[in-house]
Amino acid sequence: MIDKEIEEWNNVLKWLEEKHPGFESNLSLRDLPGLERGMTASKDLKKGETLLHIPSTCMLNPLTLLPNSLIPSHLFPQSVSRNNPNDSTTPISKKARMEKGRKLDTTQLLTLHLALTKDSKNRYKSNWKEYIESLPKTFRPWHPLTWVVSPILTQKENVPQVEWKWFNHLYDIGLSQAAKLKVQDVKKRFDEEYEILVEVLTEEEPFKSQNLVESIDKEVILWAWLNVNTRSISIPLGLPSPSERNNHTLVPIMDFINHSSNEKIVTPRVKQVPTASSRIRKLSMSTKSNGSKSDIALPSPPLTTNNGNTTMGLRKADQHLLPNKIDFKLVCQDNGLKKDEEVFFEYGGHSSSTLFAEYGFCEIPVVPEEDGWLNMKYGEVDLTHYVSELWENQNEEDKEEKKQVLEDIGCWGGNTIHCQPSPVHPSHSLLMTLRLIHLPSNSPKLTNISRGLVTYVSPANENSTMMTLESILKKVIKDSQKRHKSLKKLVKYPEPENGKILTSQQIGIIKMLCSMCDEEQILSQSLLERIESGVVDFP
């Protein structure tokens, strides 16, 4: 780490120790082989010992932000009727937002808070200043979203256009169609939320009068949004449904822990515990100049037992994080930890393409050979692009009827193959989709399939399904080999016209994309061999 990073890390620790009673850490931030940095044990630790105790007061979410922010209170998410037709995961139009009263979800609110700290006139100071200063300063060029969002060239953010064009070209030649679809999904989310935040900066006071939309440009919002998207964790906050749009929290220290799906090395167990602080502050509901706080509906406290201790696991709806009420505690796993041993988290059950699109990295097995890839916990290959091509050749009326059947049985989408549980196999959704593609129009069997009474159609249908799957797998292997060859060529001849040498970061990203090609080829070849052997019996 450079001196500036060490200083920022020490500032975060000092801030946590001095202003957030109950904070405890037995972790250290270190440079690690093959990684920029990660968390390691600062001493030998036994089973059950504390790795990290994070007070809820230092977490950044709408509940802790509400009494400490100049953001107008009516923008904060608050309880609404479950019957509210506008309460959905589908983004609503600008007109609808204005009619119902603009509300930001947790991602949008946290993005706005981070972006406001970049105000050139320093009008929006944050109580999380030390933590925010430790966040990544930029996501260019390593996050794939930045490869498809052209940079704004200003004095503040002078990203060379030629570098962006190189990465945009890398996106074109180096990503599978499945990975591209996922990056485009991330871009779609960003574009939608960027539009909403521009509306807020343009139309809401005091932002409108301050002309903040001029100083907080798209690059700033991109930086803030990616910090929230890559570093926040999901915690029940007791905010309105849909919960997946209102459960994001930024947690200092915890967001430095790297990902692994290897159960042998995933280290901490997470506990929600009553706060250790004896100085519990009550939320201020007083009226401020930027709006009344009295209309904000906060969740009820968690259930308590007769002795006053917080009860976890009684009802999911009651397991809410509350300011100064519920802390996070990470404790050591059964085998303990040695000093300087790295601590890992599992970010979720994500495939390589999902990890790459969302976080900008993919997981590579310790031994990146065939057995390593075949033993990956979440190893998969997404065949959506190839299945979509087949689907488009269906009769329009046929497509609608069969799509409805697949939706009825929960099999619309999810056209993937998986390596776990072993051996490599197609998902049930993929099998049912291919079976229906080969089912004659208006087949009487569609009714029973829709009711979940039938999965296997006929020997002839199954033979056609397997032949189509074979053909798709061969295409995947061929396309992957082509990408792999193009990536290798890019390393050898990066820019023949000027002989420019690639940076270590560029080479590292290319190696990551090559590893994703390896995974596709190994899993596809393994399933292809099973099918060609004729010993498969898929349900």
Side-chain angles (χ1 to χ4, degrees):
M1 290 186 292
I2 60 176
D3 291 344
K4 181 66 173 175
E5 291 175 332
I6 294 172
E7 179 184 353
E8 290 168 351
W9 172 252
N10 289 333
N11 287 341
V12 171
L13 293 179
K14 183 179 179 181
W15 169 68
L16 289 166
E17 290 166 352
E18 292 182 354
K19 296 188 177 181
H20 299 281
F23 169 71
E24 179 185 358
S25 175
N26 287 309
L27 300 176
S28 298
L29 189 64
R30 295 279 187 271
D31 287 321
L32 298 165
L35 301 167
E36 289 191 3
R37 45 188 190 179
M39 302 300 299
T40 62
S42 57
K43 64 178 184 180
D44 289 349
L45 293 165
K46 298 178 182 178
K47 173 185 175 181
E49 288 193 279
T50 298
L51 291 169
L52 184 66
H53 187 131
I54 293 288
S56 58
T57 55
C58 70
M59 301 184 202
L60 182 51
N61 58 50
L63 304 182
T64 55
L65 188 59
L66 178 61
N68 300 293
S69 174
L70 294 176
I71 297 174
S73 60
H74 67 267
L75 295 175
F76 281 68
Q78 56 183 284
S79 296
V80 293
S81 168
R82 289 187 179 183
N83 296 322
N84 187 337
N86 289 325
D87 184 20
S88 71
T89 57
T90 303
I92 59 176
S93 68
K94 176 180 177 180
K95 180 180 179 181
R97 285 197 294 272
M98 296 300 291
E99 289 175 350
K100 69 172 287 195
R102 184 182 281 115
K103 293 285 182 292
L104 301 181
D105 64 26
T106 50
T107 294
Q108 295 158 4
L109 188 72
L110 295 180
T111 299
L112 178 60
H113 179 75
L114 294 187
L116 288 172
T117 65
K118 299 299 183 181
D119 171 36
S120 59
K121 295 184 179 180
N122 201 27
R123 288 166 289 194
Y124 291 89
K125 297 180 180 179
S126 174
N127 285 7
W128 289 264
K129 175 178 179 290
E130 292 82 358
Y131 168 60
I132 293 172
E133 287 179 346
S134 74
L135 296 174
K137 302 299 184 291
T138 182
F139 288 83
R140 293 192 186 274
W142 60 269
H143 195 287
L145 176 60
T146 68
W147 303 357
V148 292
V149 176
S150 179
I152 300 172
L153 299 182
T154 67
Q155 291 181 348
K156 293 186 300 180
E157 186 70 28
N158 186 23
V159 180
Q161 192 73 14
V162 66
E163 181 183 62
W164 180 78
K165 288 181 177 178
W166 188 92
F167 278 99
N168 187 251
H169 176 63
L170 182 63
Y171 168 85
D172 286 335
I173 68 167
L175 270 65
S176 67
Q177 291 299 325
K180 287 179 179 178
L181 286 173
K182 291 180 180 180
V183 172
Q184 288 300 322
D185 180 65
V186 174
K187 183 178 184 296
K188 182 174 181 289
R189 297 200 321 261
F190 169 72
D191 287 342
E192 290 168 347
E193 298 190 338
Y194 171 70
E195 179 184 346
I196 290 171
L197 292 174
V198 168
E199 287 176 19
V200 168
L201 293 173
T202 304
E203 301 169 6
E204 295 283 352
E205 294 292 356
F207 313 134
K208 179 180 178 180
S209 298
Q210 295 167 346
N211 199 27
L212 277 178
V213 74
E214 294 296 323
S215 61
I216 298 178
D217 59 27
K218 191 170 186 176
E219 282 296 318
V220 171
I221 294 176
L222 177 67
W223 163 81
W225 189 86
L226 278 171
N227 266 303
V228 176
N229 194 64
T230 61
R231 304 181 81 81
S232 64
I233 63 175
S234 297
I235 304 175
L237 298 175
L239 292 170
S241 60
S243 60
E244 64 269 20
R245 295 185 68 87
N246 282 310
N247 63 2
H248 302 94
T249 293
L250 288 167
V251 184
I253 308 297
M254 191 182 294
D255 60 354
F256 284 103
I257 299 176
N258 288 320
H259 164 85
S260 176
S261 64
N262 186 340
E263 295 176 352
K264 295 180 180 179
I265 61 174
V266 171
T267 309
R269 296 197 303 271
V270 182
K271 293 182 178 180
Q272 285 183 307
V273 296
T275 183
S277 173
S278 60
R279 298 186 291 117
I280 297 179
R281 297 181 293 112
K282 294 184 178 179
L283 278 176
S284 171
M285 303 299 285
S286 60
T287 301
K288 293 188 177 182
S289 60
N290 64 329
S292 171
K293 300 293 180 183
S294 60
D295 61 344
I296 302 298
L298 294 175
S300 302
L303 294 178
T304 57
T305 60
N306 292 333
N307 61 9
N309 293 326
T310 302
T311 301
M312 296 299 166
L314 291 180
R315 293 204 307 264
K316 185 175 181 180
D318 293 306
Q319 297 178 27
H320 300 145
L321 178 82
L322 296 176
N324 299 302
K325 297 291 185 183
I326 303 298
D327 295 355
F328 258 8
K329 187 175 184 179
L330 307 186
V331 297
C332 201
Q333 86 280 32
D334 293 348
N335 296 331
L337 277 172
K338 295 294 183 182
K339 182 180 178 181
D340 296 329
E341 188 175 350
E342 187 174 3
V343 176
F344 291 96
F345 249 146
E346 183 179 291
Y347 290 4
H350 301 312
S351 66
S352 295
S353 56
T354 297
L355 284 172
F356 185 74
E358 297 287 348
Y359 300 104
F361 72 88
C362 71
E363 187 176 8
I364 301 173
V366 177
V367 181
E369 298 173 355
E370 182 172 344
D371 287 347
W373 285 113
L374 293 177
N375 289 317
M376 291 292 284
K377 185 177 180 181
Y378 300 114
E380 75 169 43
V381 180
D382 191 334
L383 308 182
T384 297
H385 169 69
Y386 303 93
V387 175
S388 296
E389 289 181 343
L390 295 174
W391 195 258
E392 288 305 312
N393 293 327
Q394 295 277 295
N395 174 277
E396 283 298 323
E397 186 176 340
D398 229 17
K399 280 196 293 188
E400 287 303 313
E401 183 181 21
K402 291 178 180 179
K403 179 182 177 182
Q404 184 59 57
V405 171
L406 290 170
E407 288 178 343
D408 290 343
I409 59 176
C411 288
W412 177 250
N415 296 306
T416 49
I417 66 173
H418 302 265
C419 64
Q420 297 298 323
S422 183
V424 180
H425 58 278
S427 68
H428 183 62
S429 295
L430 173 60
L431 279 176
M432 293 309 299
T433 300
L434 295 180
R435 286 166 179 166
L436 261 63
I437 283 175
H438 289 290
L439 198 62
S441 302
N442 302 315
S443 169
K445 293 190 175 183
L446 282 172
T447 300
N448 284 337
I449 294 174
S450 177
R451 293 173 180 172
L453 301 176
V454 173
T455 56
Y456 184 90
V457 178
S458 69
N461 177 274
E462 197 68 4
N463 184 55
S464 296
T465 295
M466 290 300 106
M467 289 178 64
T468 298
L469 183 54
E470 277 188 80
S471 175
I472 291 175
L473 293 172
K474 289 176 181 177
K475 288 180 181 178
V476 171
I477 294 170
K478 182 179 178 180
D479 291 347
S480 182
Q481 289 173 338
K482 181 180 178 180
R483 290 201 320 278
H484 199 284
K485 184 177 180 180
S486 297
L487 290 167
K488 290 291 187 182
K489 183 179 178 181
L490 192 61
V491 174
K492 191 172 183 180
Y493 307 107
E495 291 185 23
E497 69 277 7
N498 59 21
K500 180 182 176 182
I501 303 300
L502 296 183
T503 66
S504 59
Q505 185 179 53
Q506 288 172 316
I507 293 174
I509 291 172
I510 289 173
K511 287 181 178 179
M512 196 183 305
L513 296 180
C514 286
S515 73
M516 292 168 69
C517 293
D518 292 338
E519 180 182 28
E520 287 182 23
Q521 292 173 41
I522 290 170
L523 268 62
S524 298
Q525 185 63 43
S526 179
L527 179 56
L528 184 61
E529 290 172 359
R530 286 190 69 200
I531 295 172
E532 290 176 341
S533 71
V535 295
V536 295
D537 184 20
F538 301 125

